[in-house]
Amino acid sequence: MFWTAIIMRYINLLVLFIVSGCVHSPANKTMPVTFDKQGHRGCRSLMPENTIPAMIKAIDLAVNTLEMDIVITKDKRLILSHEPFFNHEITTKPDGKFVAESEERSLNIYGMTYEETRKYDVGSKPHPRFPGQQKIKVSKPLLSDLIDSVEMYCKQKNLKKINYNIETKTQPLTDNIYHPAPQEFVDLLINIILLKRIEKRVTIQSFDFRTLQYVHRKYPLIKTAMLIEEDDKRAFDQQLKELGFIPSVYSPHFSLVTKNIIKACHEKNILVIPWTVDELEKMKDLKQIGADGIISDDPSLFKRLL
């Protein structure tokens, strides 16, 4: 029994050693045969964004991948949130009043404990841009709780295991103000991913190339997605040069996608998955010219996408 325990311990350590990046195997895979239908923040046109109900609803709409954003609290807990503060468009304060735009940035999640964030309701306030969104009282969930809920739901429904596309909300100007620096941020995130054993189904996406560079360097088995803003004027080759490696996914604003961009990406075995597409005809156009997937606020449109 003694030697069996010792052997098993070293096997477990070896597995963690390999997954955490000590074996330099490329994250890129062969081009998929399945079009990747991604639910943006779950399905924020239908349910409160970045919440467990939104993710479950997206699964019911047959997405392949749940897209989400992660921020970090004062006590180093990872929760789902698009901003590192409580956005005025979606937040009701503990006293029942709506958050004003003038005060939202003072409600810094990185300065709050997780228990403090739970007092804020991010599902009851009518959304000004998504009038069809169902309203429910809900708080920003822990990433670990979200994964547990999703994995259990898929198991109970006998569904195929879901993929996760997780965005790190970092930028150089707000390091150690609204979030940790990229290295700490990524390490905290990967710890959860490894703990939940979903590393083969995860892509880390970011506009902040520092995040992606650290993931690539330390955790090369984890897939990465390079997010590109709508107003980014750099050529594709320049973007790749500044990133410094070939990512798994190129994920620009949908308005930037052309046949030439898709061709250039596919020649490098990079998938093209644009954001955020909420019109059926635009979805059809992008699929027709060769996009490998689409990120949408309204996954219900996917069932009409031929």
Side-chain angles (χ1 to χ4, degrees):
M1 291 294 293
F2 173 78
W3 287 110
T4 300
I6 292 294
I7 290 169
M8 290 305 299
R9 180 183 178 189
Y10 276 98
I11 289 174
N12 290 334
L13 287 173
L14 178 60
V15 170
L16 181 58
F17 181 79
I18 291 172
V19 171
S20 63
C22 296
V23 173
H24 289 267
S25 175
N28 292 51
K29 307 297 180 185
T30 56
M31 296 309 221
V33 294
T34 302
F35 190 77
D36 193 2
K37 299 173 288 185
Q38 297 200 16
H40 186 237
R41 309 186 199 179
C43 55
R44 71 167 175 163
S45 71
L46 306 172
M47 300 291 288
E49 67 180 59
N50 278 319
T51 63
I52 292 175
M55 301 298 165
I56 298 301
K57 179 67 174 180
I59 293 171
D60 287 342
L61 293 170
V63 301
N64 308 108
T65 301
L66 298 173
E67 193 273 352
M68 64 195 69
D69 311 274
I70 297 297
V71 303
I72 296 177
T73 65
K74 181 180 181 179
D75 50 346
K76 309 300 183 182
R77 309 296 296 276
L78 279 70
I79 66 174
L80 273 64
S81 181
H82 184 259
E83 293 82 21
F85 50 82
F86 281 97
N87 188 317
H88 74 281
E89 285 191 327
I90 64 172
T91 308
T92 303
K93 293 185 290 187
D95 63 4
K97 297 179 180 178
F98 292 151
V99 169
E101 186 172 6
S102 60
E103 67 177 323
E104 63 180 9
R105 291 179 182 272
S106 68
L107 299 174
N108 182 357
I109 293 172
Y110 193 45
M112 299 181 185
T113 65
Y114 167 61
E115 288 302 320
E116 289 173 323
T117 70
R118 293 183 63 192
K119 299 175 183 178
Y120 291 81
D121 173 9
V122 293
S124 297
K125 184 177 182 180
H127 199 296
R129 289 177 290 117
F130 297 98
Q133 187 184 93
Q134 181 179 335
K135 307 319 300 173
I136 54 174
K137 186 173 183 179
V138 65
S139 60
K140 295 179 183 290
L142 288 169
L143 175 61
S144 56
D145 288 346
L146 178 278
I147 295 169
D148 288 344
S149 296
V150 165
E151 296 294 301
M152 181 60 70
Y153 188 78
C154 290
K155 183 177 182 180
Q156 290 173 343
K157 297 291 184 177
N158 198 28
L159 301 173
K160 183 178 178 180
K161 289 184 177 180
I162 204 81
N163 297 314
Y164 299 84
N165 186 14
I166 303 175
E167 182 179 348
T168 60
K169 305 304 292 188
T170 64
Q171 57 178 323
L173 291 178
T174 53
D175 280 353
N176 301 311
I177 300 172
Y178 280 113
H179 52 80
Q183 178 172 329
E184 181 182 1
F185 195 117
V186 169
D187 286 340
L188 289 168
L189 174 56
I190 297 296
N191 284 344
I192 297 294
I193 290 169
L194 294 179
L195 179 66
K196 299 301 179 181
R197 299 181 179 180
I198 60 168
E199 62 273 5
K200 293 182 180 179
R201 293 183 278 129
V202 167
T203 300
I204 305 299
Q205 62 174 344
S206 191
F207 292 103
D208 188 347
F209 286 6
R210 302 174 306 157
T211 290
L212 302 180
Q213 289 160 351
Y214 182 70
V215 172
H216 177 70
R217 184 169 65 251
K218 185 161 184 195
Y219 307 101
L221 296 182
I222 301 292
K223 294 184 289 293
T224 53
M226 178 170 59
L227 288 169
I228 299 297
E229 293 278 15
E230 181 178 8
D231 59 356
D232 193 323
K233 304 301 182 183
R234 294 172 296 176
F236 172 65
D237 287 343
Q238 182 61 31
Q239 292 166 351
L240 277 186
K241 181 179 179 181
E242 292 182 20
L243 181 62
F245 68 95
I246 301 298
S248 312
V249 179
Y250 185 67
S251 192
H253 185 267
F254 72 86
S255 64
L256 301 177
V257 178
T258 64
K259 287 185 179 180
N260 287 338
I261 285 290
I262 292 174
K263 181 175 183 292
C265 286
H266 286 178
E267 286 174 350
K268 298 180 183 297
N269 202 29
I270 302 172
L271 305 180
V272 180
I273 304 177
W275 57 274
T276 302
V277 191
D278 294 338
E279 295 180 1
L280 181 60
E281 291 307 311
K282 176 54 66 174
M283 285 183 173
K284 290 180 178 179
D285 290 344
L286 289 164
K287 186 177 181 183
Q288 192 277 326
I289 65 173
D292 301 288
I294 283 173
I295 302 171
S296 178
D297 288 314
D298 188 358
S300 69
L301 295 174
F302 287 134
K303 63 184 177 183
R304 297 159 58 191
L305 184 61
L306 302 178

